Structure formats: structure tokens, C-alpha cells
Amino acid sequence: MGDMVVALKNYRQGLKLFESINELEGIAISLNNVGYVLQNMAEFNSALEYYKRGYELKKSLRDSSGMGLSLSNIASTYEFLKQPKKAIASYLEAIRLQSLIGDFFGIGWFGVNLFFMLSGFVLYLPFVRGRNFSVKQFYVRRVQRLYPMLMICGFISISFFKASHDSF
């Protein structure tokens, strides 16, 4: 924890420096860094405030990529605060922004985070509904859903591989 306290102190000093010279990009990055450290220290509400301030600054700078990253941080903080609707909305907005600027890596990154969040939520539903959850039954259903597509993709891949090597 000592390293986090030192990091927080240093990032806050950097934030003050950037604010003193009105370096907006540096302020936005520093806000994100402070939020990150606070999130790692489980101070989620404080982290959320810093992330939101950074988002607003990125928005004023018209930095869509930076806005997307800020929204992803906001979404992960909402996950920790057990507010899935807000987390999903933030991830979807981040994906929308990244698609507008053609950042497919960003879309994939945020999409994977959203997928994992939703997967955890879906696995939690049987407990909320008062049903018993069988791990064995879960995997049986999962294999029944995924195995046919795995076989089709495998067949297509092998066919393409053989076709490309038969021409030599």
C-alpha cells in the first residue's frame, strides 16, 4: 500500500503543476492517473470523481479516443460499485466513440471488457432468481452451444489450409 500512497502523492503533485500552467492535456492525464491509483486503493467514489473530471476535460478538448478511455475507466469503477447499468452504458458509449474515429483496437478492448462484465452478470442471475446453479450443467450446455460452431470453423479452416497448400 505504501507504493500506492507515494504514487498518489506524486500524481497529485503533477496535477497541481499542470493546473498551474494550464496544460489541459496534462491535467486530463493526471486526473486519470489519480483516479487509477484511488481505484486500486478501493476508494471508488473518489476515483469516479477524478475519472469524470478527466472525461469532461477530454470532451472539451474533443479527444474522442481519450473520452473512450475515460469512459472505460468510469465503467470499471461502476463495476466495483456494483452499478452494472451505469457500467454497461459507459462501455457502450466508449465503443460508440471508438467506432466514430475508426479505432478498432479500442472497440475490441472495450468490447472484451463489456463481454466479461456481462458474462459475470449472466452467471450471477441463477443465484438472484433463487435457482440452484450446477457447474456441471453449465458446462454441458456450454459445450452443446459451442461445439457445433467449433467443428464448422475447424472444418472451414482446415479446408482453406489444404486448398492453399495444394496449389504449391
Side-chain angles (χ1 to χ4, degrees):
M1 187 61 124
D3 291 339
M4 287 293 172
V5 172
V6 171
L8 184 60
K9 178 184 171 203
N10 290 337
Y11 283 136
R12 283 184 169 153
Q13 284 177 342
L15 176 58
K16 285 180 184 178
L17 176 64
F18 285 124
E19 288 173 335
S20 73
I21 60 173
N22 200 34
E23 166 50 44
L24 300 181
E25 183 66 30
I27 294 169
I29 291 169
S30 295
L31 288 167
N32 186 65
N33 289 339
V34 170
Y36 180 78
V37 173
L38 289 168
Q39 185 174 345
N40 280 289
M41 295 172 71
E43 295 182 29
F44 303 118
N45 290 313
S46 296
L48 192 57
E49 290 175 31
Y50 279 91
Y51 286 147
K52 284 181 176 182
R53 285 177 52 202
Y55 170 77
E56 290 301 324
L57 193 51
K58 289 290 188 175
K59 189 174 179 180
S60 74
L61 294 169
R62 297 181 182 188
D63 178 359
S64 295
S65 181
M67 289 166 59
L69 291 171
S70 293
L71 284 167
S72 178
N73 290 332
I74 289 168
S76 69
T77 305
Y78 279 132
E79 283 184 66
F80 285 114
L81 291 170
K82 305 210 180 328
Q83 297 180 28
K85 288 181 182 179
K86 289 182 178 182
I88 291 168
S90 296
Y91 277 132
L92 290 175
E93 180 62 13
I95 291 168
R96 186 188 72 77
L97 286 170
Q98 297 310 99
S99 67
L100 288 175
I101 61 172
D103 181 3
F104 298 109
F105 178 76
I107 293 168
W109 182 264
F110 302 141
V112 167
N113 288 337
L114 178 61
F115 170 77
F116 280 118
M117 195 205 108
L118 290 174
S119 295
F121 184 67
V122 167
L123 290 174
Y124 179 68
L125 285 177
F127 295 109
V128 173
R129 293 181 177 155
R131 293 189 214 152
N132 289 332
F133 180 79
S134 166
V135 173
K136 180 181 175 185
Q137 206 45 27
F138 169 78
Y139 282 109
V140 167
R141 284 194 311 266
R142 181 69 67 193
V143 168
Q144 289 171 340
R145 285 187 204 127
L146 297 177
Y147 191 72
M149 287 308 295
L150 174 66
M151 295 308 298
I152 291 169
C153 289
F155 176 76
I156 291 170
S157 297
I158 290 170
S159 298
F160 279 119
F161 178 79
K162 283 188 169 210
S164 68
H165 283 66
D166 286 345
S167 63
F168 288 110

